[in-house]
Amino acid sequence: MKCTKWFTEMASNRDSTFDIFRALCALEIIAFWHIFFYLPDEYSLTGINLEIGKYLTMIALSGFSFMSGYMLRKYEFNNWSDVWIFFKKRFKRFYVLLFLSCFSLYAVGLIMHHPWFTDTKQFVFTLLGLNVFFPPLATTLWFFSMMIFFYLITPVIKAPRKVFLRVVLAFAILGLLLILNKVSHADSNVLYYYPFYMLGLLLPHDIVEKIKRHRLVVLPSSLLCLSGAFAYTQVADNQLFNGGGYLIMAFGILFLISVSSLTAKNSALSKFFYFVSYASMVAYLFHRQMFYVICALLGDEQNKLSLFMAFCVAVPVVFIVSYFIQKIYDRVIFKRTTH
């Protein structure tokens, strides 16, 4: 009863729109894109399904990037103390979990005779937030490694009090990233997702609220997003990330905000998505390890899951276990029941 009351109070005190937004992105990555690696070959994504899946995934990752920036827009940096408090909170929020995820993936890789990291250098750069600048990327974990870099530059962008100067600094950093990408072997992912983190960090709150209120945005944004993705799969030698790719990601974020706002009106769905959202960070960091274990326990001789076991057992187990891990983590690290 106490746990149910806590859960209800937490869900009611949050903006359900952004919980749903985060949950939809997490479900796309974990319960769709990555789960196919653990299914028999006949269920593998191929052809146009694979291309559409790539676009859905880049929308989900750009959505995560935008949401991360948007949630941090409230921070102001007037002195070094503010910077220290910001980094301390970010460190507590996810770095310990990232650290544990890296080590557990390393251990699971040894047990399953499938090394996760190519070498010690990749392992260290992932933990330092430098993986995107020194490829190859660590599968899955590269995104959180990139977020470390985004957090490091956040005080720089937010330091000026004038919005114009913040925008100038944000674009100056983008320019430096472009130069770095041209003159070095830095991975391009940081270029793909930094603009959306920057957008979330600098976008006025009122604009997002207007998008949430104008629910008719759902239909045109979804049609533009899906038709654009389909069109680009038909172009020979198309480049996944180009001007069109950025537009698809932008329309995808617009769609996610709008459809999340609509879904938030249903209290039952809001509670479900709150559960998924609360578990999403742990699920993102540890779903590979859990899938490995579940495959070992339930898989066939090829260590693969049946379609039923994947979607009716593995995915629910990942989010349920992740929810309770996150809850325990919050109690231990933050010494309170909220996060």
Side-chain angles (χ1 to χ4, degrees):
M1 181 65 70
K2 185 177 180 181
C3 180
T4 303
K5 182 180 179 182
W6 173 85
F7 179 86
T8 303
E9 288 177 352
M10 282 292 296
S12 63
N13 290 334
R14 296 169 65 88
D15 187 332
S16 297
T17 297
F18 300 110
D19 277 327
I20 295 167
F21 186 109
R22 185 183 295 109
L24 290 173
C25 292
L27 287 170
E28 195 285 329
I29 296 292
I30 298 166
F32 172 71
W33 186 242
H34 286 172
I35 193 65
F36 281 92
F37 289 96
Y38 304 90
L39 295 174
D41 293 339
E42 59 264 31
Y43 297 113
S44 298
L45 291 175
T46 57
I48 190 170
N49 293 326
L50 178 62
E51 293 300 317
I52 293 295
K54 289 179 181 177
Y55 280 104
L56 291 176
T57 301
M58 74 182 191
I59 289 170
L61 293 177
S62 62
F64 274 134
S65 302
F66 172 82
M67 179 62 65
S68 297
Y70 187 73
M71 291 291 104
L72 298 179
R73 77 193 188 287
K74 61 185 178 183
Y75 285 95
E76 297 294 336
F77 302 95
N78 299 312
N79 49 55
W80 285 109
S81 178
D82 292 340
V83 176
W84 169 247
I85 291 171
F86 173 78
F87 286 142
K88 185 178 178 181
K89 286 183 177 180
R90 290 297 91 200
F91 182 89
K92 283 186 175 181
R93 178 74 178 96
F94 87 98
Y95 193 80
V96 175
L97 291 171
L98 174 62
F99 188 81
L100 293 173
S101 179
C102 285
F103 271 97
S104 59
L105 279 170
Y106 181 78
V108 170
L110 290 178
I111 295 170
M112 304 297 292
H113 303 291
H114 181 71
W116 192 262
F117 296 98
T118 57
D119 51 34
T120 304
K121 177 182 175 182
Q122 187 191 55
F123 175 80
V124 172
F125 282 160
T126 299
L127 287 173
L128 293 177
L130 298 173
N131 194 205
V132 289
F133 300 109
F134 298 95
L137 299 184
T139 308
T140 304
L141 294 180
W142 67 266
F143 185 81
F144 268 83
S145 182
M146 180 181 69
M147 291 309 302
I148 295 175
F149 169 71
F150 289 169
Y151 293 153
L152 288 173
I153 62 175
T154 295
V156 177
I157 296 173
K158 293 277 289 180
R161 294 190 177 184
K162 292 185 178 180
V163 175
F164 173 76
L165 291 178
R166 293 178 177 181
V167 173
V168 169
L169 277 172
F171 275 98
I173 292 173
L174 178 60
L176 290 174
L177 292 174
L178 285 167
I179 293 172
L180 185 63
N181 182 256
K182 291 292 184 182
V183 301
S184 72
H185 298 291
D187 189 87
S188 297
N189 277 293
V190 69
L191 288 176
Y192 306 151
Y193 299 112
Y194 168 72
F196 295 100
Y197 179 81
M198 179 178 70
L199 181 66
L201 195 64
L202 299 176
L203 190 69
H205 175 72
D206 292 345
I207 293 179
V208 176
E209 290 302 311
K210 287 180 181 178
I211 295 173
K212 287 166 58 180
R213 289 194 297 269
H214 289 77
R215 296 185 177 88
L216 290 177
V217 171
V218 170
L219 183 59
S221 62
S222 61
L223 290 176
L224 286 167
C225 182
L226 293 175
S227 61
F230 180 80
Y232 270 78
T233 61
Q234 305 305 303
V235 178
D237 299 323
N238 72 84
Q239 295 181 356
L240 184 60
F241 293 100
N242 47 28
Y246 284 115
L247 285 176
I248 291 170
M249 287 188 277
F251 283 126
I253 291 173
L254 194 65
F255 170 76
L256 285 170
I257 294 173
S258 190
V259 78
S260 297
S261 179
L262 278 173
T263 308
K265 289 197 165 293
N266 186 299
S267 60
L269 284 175
S270 293
K271 290 178 181 178
F272 167 75
F273 282 116
Y274 167 75
F275 174 87
V276 175
S277 175
Y278 185 81
S280 62
M281 184 169 65
V282 173
Y284 190 101
L285 286 169
F286 292 94
H287 68 279
R288 293 281 195 178
Q289 298 91 314
M290 294 189 212
F291 284 155
Y292 276 142
V293 173
I294 293 171
C295 281
L297 294 174
L298 303 175
D300 58 20
E301 65 277 3
Q302 293 183 330
N303 230 15
K304 297 285 187 176
L305 295 169
S306 68
L307 203 62
F308 174 83
M309 295 305 292
F311 291 102
C312 297
V313 176
V315 171
V317 164
V318 164
F319 280 98
I320 291 170
V321 171
S322 297
Y323 173 85
F324 286 104
I325 290 175
Q326 184 69 64
K327 189 175 178 182
I328 293 169
Y329 180 79
D330 288 345
R331 287 181 180 272
V332 173
I333 300 296
F334 295 100
K335 300 186 186 303
R336 63 175 185 266
T337 56
T338 60
H339 79 296

